[in-house]
Amino acid sequence: MAYQIKILMLAFAIAFVISLIVIPILRRRKIGQQERDDGPKSHLKKQGTPTMGGIVMILAIIIIGAIVFLKYSKSVDASEQTMAKNLIPLILVTVGFGLVGFVDDFKKLILKNTEGLKPLYKMIGLLIFSVAFVLYITKVLNIGTETYIPFIKTYFTLPVWLYIPFAILVLLGTSNAVNLTDGIDGLATSVTALILTCLTVIGIIFNIKEIVVFGSITIGTCLGFLLFNLNPAKIFMGDTGSLALGGVLATIAILTRREITLFIICLPFVIETASSMIQILYYKLTKKRVFLNSPLHHHFEKLGYQEPDIVKAFWLFGILCSLAGIYFAVWL
């Protein structure tokens, strides 16, 4: 347990230091938030707040990942060498998803292209990294195609032709759900940290060392970044961070065989995504709106709730979902 805490604290410290360096650079280069006119009016004061903060997370994950890999790849313990090797695809997917978000942020914030990366191109980019990861774990690592069904407490083996698109859908859906939730100060970062803690606990219970190590790295990174992301935020993660964090959650769920359990743990993100889908579909059918604004956190803002209160409510809901996720994943 001690090494996990050391890794988490080191990741926290490095993310904190990188934030101190990156925030002034982004501010000097005027790489700031662009608020929509149709969003909550309270957000207009955030115009110009440094964004693309996902760079902080990705750099911290790469640095700590490299340190851990170099340490354990030279170990005389074969299990530690295997753990170090298995960290590589986790880091690569995180960086790959973050790179897609970075291109989107770069076009919007630096090239001043308000549309950013077209949704189709963004999805193709995420799809490329998703397919590569799923093919790697099924064809190279040969970890099998089992998934745990929590409600009947059993593993079910999917045919490979069905498992591959299923796992890809988990990756794409989770990354986009986190991306949608990143709308108010500290919301996506804090809820992701809770979910990562839950998934890391599952990794500890089943002694999946690479999950425990990578989970500790990303939790520490989120907490270090969160110090600057809480209301009033000094930096936003942008698509660079939200897509990367979504990739982290999905890859850990896939490697722990808890893809379906992830749906329970990620209910805050699921509800946020569902609210946007309902809003769009209902408006297309009736030209009326179900919510005052979407995703759901913006609806609460329009009702008059303050951002910190909304985030606290999501924290509490996230804790309940995480506890339920551990129960369904392990003890049901």
Side-chain angles (χ1 to χ4, degrees):
M1 193 72 176
Y3 80 96
Q4 299 148 9
I5 295 173
K6 287 179 182 178
I7 291 171
L8 190 152
M9 294 302 294
L10 183 58
F12 174 88
I14 288 180
F16 179 83
V17 171
I18 294 175
S19 296
L20 290 176
I21 297 169
V22 168
I23 291 173
I25 294 173
L26 294 175
R27 190 175 289 121
R28 282 198 303 269
R29 294 184 177 275
K30 301 188 187 308
I31 302 174
Q33 182 77 356
Q34 297 175 353
E35 292 294 339
R36 300 179 309 175
D37 292 335
D38 59 342
K41 299 304 180 187
S42 61
H43 283 215
L44 295 177
K45 64 184 178 183
K46 301 181 183 186
Q47 189 82 15
T49 301
T51 188
M52 288 180 74
I55 296 171
V56 171
M57 298 179 175
I58 292 173
L59 287 175
I61 289 170
I62 291 173
I63 291 169
I64 303 299
I67 292 171
V68 172
F69 176 80
L70 291 173
K71 175 179 172 58
Y72 288 102
S73 61
K74 297 176 181 178
S75 173
V76 294
D77 188 333
S79 66
E80 290 184 349
Q81 292 181 13
T82 301
M83 180 273 289
K85 184 182 71 173
N86 290 343
L87 273 178
I88 296 174
L90 287 164
I91 295 170
L92 289 179
V93 171
T94 304
V95 174
F97 275 41
L99 182 61
V100 174
F102 176 82
V103 173
D104 186 41
D105 287 337
F106 186 86
K107 290 191 70 175
K108 286 187 290 190
L109 301 169
I110 298 178
L111 300 183
K112 306 302 179 183
N113 182 333
T114 54
E115 291 184 1
L117 190 62
K118 291 184 178 179
L120 176 61
Y121 296 156
K122 185 187 292 187
M123 193 58 67
I124 289 173
L126 295 174
L127 185 62
I128 290 170
F129 289 107
S130 299
V131 170
F133 173 73
V134 175
L135 290 178
Y136 178 78
I137 63 172
T138 54
K139 303 297 184 181
V140 179
L141 294 184
N142 294 313
I143 66 171
T145 59
E146 289 183 331
T147 187
Y148 185 72
I149 312 296
F151 306 106
I152 57 176
K153 198 181 178 182
T154 188
Y155 289 90
F156 183 77
T157 301
L158 296 171
V160 68
W161 58 267
L162 181 59
Y163 179 80
I164 289 175
F166 167 67
I168 290 170
L169 185 62
V170 171
L171 283 156
L172 296 178
T174 308
S175 59
N176 281 284
V178 177
N179 184 237
L180 271 175
T181 307
D182 181 33
I184 58 178
D185 299 1
L187 178 59
T189 312
S190 57
V191 175
T192 299
L194 285 172
I195 294 169
L196 280 169
T197 303
C198 172
L199 291 170
T200 304
V201 168
I202 293 171
I204 292 170
I205 291 169
F206 291 99
N207 195 30
I208 308 174
K209 290 184 178 179
E210 58 268 26
I211 297 303
V212 177
V213 169
F214 192 64
S216 300
I217 292 171
T218 47
I219 292 167
T221 299
C222 282
L223 294 178
F225 180 80
L226 188 60
L227 289 179
F228 302 91
N229 188 229
L230 285 173
N231 186 270
K234 296 177 179 62
I235 189 172
F236 300 124
M237 70 170 76
D239 283 11
T240 308
S242 59
L243 292 180
L245 290 181
V248 170
L249 296 178
T251 51
I252 291 178
I254 289 169
L255 291 176
T256 55
R257 301 310 191 191
R258 266 45 188 189
E259 299 95 339
I260 295 174
T261 309
L262 182 67
F263 185 87
I264 299 169
I265 303 169
C266 283
L267 264 179
F269 295 146
V270 172
I271 291 172
E272 286 276 275
T273 304
S275 69
S276 289
M277 294 173 65
I278 291 169
Q279 184 87 321
I280 292 169
L281 181 61
Y282 190 76
Y283 185 78
K284 285 183 176 180
L285 292 174
T286 67
K287 300 302 178 185
K288 297 180 181 178
R289 291 179 171 82
V290 177
F291 305 103
L292 297 176
N293 206 331
S294 65
L296 189 60
H297 58 262
H298 287 325
H299 173 74
F300 290 134
E301 283 187 280
K302 286 290 185 75
L303 288 174
Y305 292 96
Q306 298 300 308
E307 285 191 35
D309 296 328
I310 297 170
V311 172
K312 288 173 188 174
F314 270 84
W315 284 354
L316 292 174
F317 185 51
I319 290 170
L320 291 175
C321 292
S322 293
L323 292 174
I326 293 173
Y327 174 76
F328 283 117
V330 181
W331 292 297
L332 182 64

